[in-house]
Amino acid sequence: MSSRKQIQAVFFSLIMVLSVVAMGAGGAAAQPSVSDEGPIEGGLQDVNTGQESTATEQASGDSGPSVTAEPQEVQIADGVQDRDGTAVLLLSVDRNIDRGAIRSGDVGAQALQADSEATLDPVAQQVNQLGAAEVRQQFWVSNTLSVEINLDRHSVEDLADIEGVTAITPNVEITHPAPPETDEELTASVEQTDNYTYGLEQIGIPSFEEKYGDRGGNATVTVIDDGVSNPDNIHPDLEFAQTAIASDGNITTGTLGSAGEHGEHVVGTVSGAAEPAGDVPRYGVAPNANVIMINAFEGGATLEDILTSVEYSVEQDSDVTSMSLGFGSSTGFSTISNVVENTMQDSVAAGTLVTVSAGNSGAGDTGGPTTSPGAEFTSMAIGASNDDANIAAFSSGDIINPNQVELIDANATYPDNFPREYVKPDVSAPGVSVLSTGPLGTVAAEDPTYSTSSGTSMAAPHVAGAATLLQSMTEDDLDPKLIEMALAETAEKPDKDFPSEFNRDIRYGTGIINVTAAADALMNGSMAVDGTVSDTGGDPIEGASVSADSGALTSTNASGGYPLHTTQAAVDRKDAALG
């Protein structure tokens, strides 16, 4: 698609209309107007932006040099200091590269790897010198060390005292979303056509096939889940470019380990054969995609295993990574993690879009807590629709804010780049009575086995497959955020009054995706809009939301800068109250 129009536009060259929300715990202030040629005008000077102290604090204007500030206190998760015996902990390490540059797309994989080598190695050396502590793994995606330490001989403070360490997090376990409770919606038969499942019909696969004729063969997608039901005799509809297991932070290739059913169903939706071996309609979104299958549940599925799996997918040049799993909530709030957010940022910067299930804790129209890794601002969270294009009652959705969120790495702070309020899911896709490979759920056919199952776990692979198709259809190396925004901006939903922010609501997000509409939008051209948001004194505002009426959304970095990818011809102004 070399003829596809690429437009790089700066903030002041467009008639933009932004939704700008400063993150903070203070009260509301008057909404500023946005100037086309300068900083925001208006009364932001009284707004608490929620920014923590950084290593240096830049004075506004040219009035003087930078001012050195006190280093941030190391964030130690609740309960870690009370542990004894041998434990595995994750150490977040400060980068030399500014995270704002990573989020802006100015830094790629090579620079991230070099920076991690420079920043992680000195910390690792000091950890290994403690005597009863050892570095297990170094992760350049997230800039994290996993450390095994004997807490009877060393205290957590011994790790916190190492220069460069910013946070210490437990190696928490991750799970598949709990299956939704059986009800009439989930047990009702779903009409399928002779050629395609309702899910593929709903997201526009037949029209995409007719118009673009691409089945994903020019792109790579990684599925991080458990394995397949019979590792010695893999389902005939499935073909893998690579298989691997993740255990204790290590990747072992050439095997899928022990049996699993969830991953088999998920990967079938991503890439099941265009002409299934059984008497079933086509159900695989991108049947010719190069698929990397990682069983991250072989050793219990910990945060360490997720980090190594995502990193491996990035290192294998995956265009898309799909995860139907999550860190559950113990408080009833959505869960987020600074470690996971850093992982999402680095993955996107390196060229890999991450799609994640939103969770199955919904309670109808009021939504429910979204689980990490789907709840983080940078990830792409997916809700579940049914064959009537309604959202399933079980599908999670939430307006996330710093006062109602559960931090996995507890005792940490709400990330500075997160808007004060934002909505998950981002988009939705079929997730009720989804037909795919293997025996998960209700068996629909045998020899070979197919089954129907429900959950946002079934919705996420529809989006992962769609994103794979969008990358495959072009020779251009698309920015992951452009692919995400193309799907978000062309998604459709009914006009219903659900709680919402930035043209996204807690049930649909921006709507149910349509891969044909997204492909058309990309073919018609895209814009990467760059700009800055500052107060009347010229000081940058971090964590401000920048959105378009089409559903495109981003936030500002510590310098007040942002990139906003959009497939729309114009970005319109939308004023919103600060809160």
Side-chain angles (χ1 to χ4, degrees), residues 20-203:
V20 182
V21 179
M23 196 282 288
Q31 168 65 29
S33 61
V34 179
S35 168
D36 296 335
E37 298 182 355
I40 295 175
E41 300 172 357
L44 270 183
Q45 60 269 26
D46 296 326
V47 174
N48 175 9
T49 62
Q51 298 174 6
E52 300 291 333
S53 298
T54 55
T56 59
E57 182 178 330
Q58 183 68 43
S60 62
D62 297 320
S63 58
S66 299
V67 179
T68 301
E70 290 296 321
Q72 279 188 309
E73 182 179 353
V74 175
Q75 297 174 348
I76 302 175
D78 291 343
V80 169
Q81 290 168 310
D82 298 329
R83 297 180 66 173
D84 54 20
T86 301
V88 175
L89 302 175
L90 300 176
L91 274 57
S92 297
V93 178
D94 201 16
R95 282 195 181 277
N96 292 329
I97 297 175
D98 178 59
R99 281 228 157 257
I102 297 172
R103 294 197 298 271
S104 297
D106 298 330
V107 178
Q110 202 168 18
L112 289 172
Q113 287 174 308
D115 180 73
S116 289
E117 184 176 351
T119 54
L120 293 180
D121 283 356
V123 175
Q125 290 173 13
Q126 292 187 64
V127 169
N128 290 332
Q129 289 172 2
L130 288 177
E134 181 181 9
V135 172
R136 287 159 56 106
Q137 298 293 333
Q138 298 188 27
F139 302 111
W140 65 268
V141 175
S142 76
N143 216 46
T144 303
L145 297 174
S146 63
V147 174
E148 186 170 332
I149 184 170
N150 186 332
L151 292 174
D152 293 331
R153 293 183 55 188
H154 295 292
S155 69
V156 174
E157 284 75 13
D158 290 336
L159 298 175
D161 288 341
I162 297 175
E163 183 177 358
V165 174
T166 60
I168 301 175
T169 304
N171 190 27
V172 291
E173 289 191 7
I174 200 165
T175 62
H176 290 123
E181 294 183 6
T182 301
D183 58 23
E184 290 184 5
E185 177 188 22
L186 304 184
T187 56
S189 65
V190 174
E191 183 178 349
Q192 314 280 8
T193 69
D194 291 337
N195 298 320
Y196 298 94
T197 60
Y198 90 85
L200 268 58
E201 294 270 8
Q202 192 173 97
I203 67 170

Side-chain angles (χ1 to χ4, degrees), residues 235 277-280 439 443-451:
H235 197 288
D279 185 19
V280 296
V443 173
E446 295 183 304
D447 298 323
T449 302
Y450 300 88
S451 62

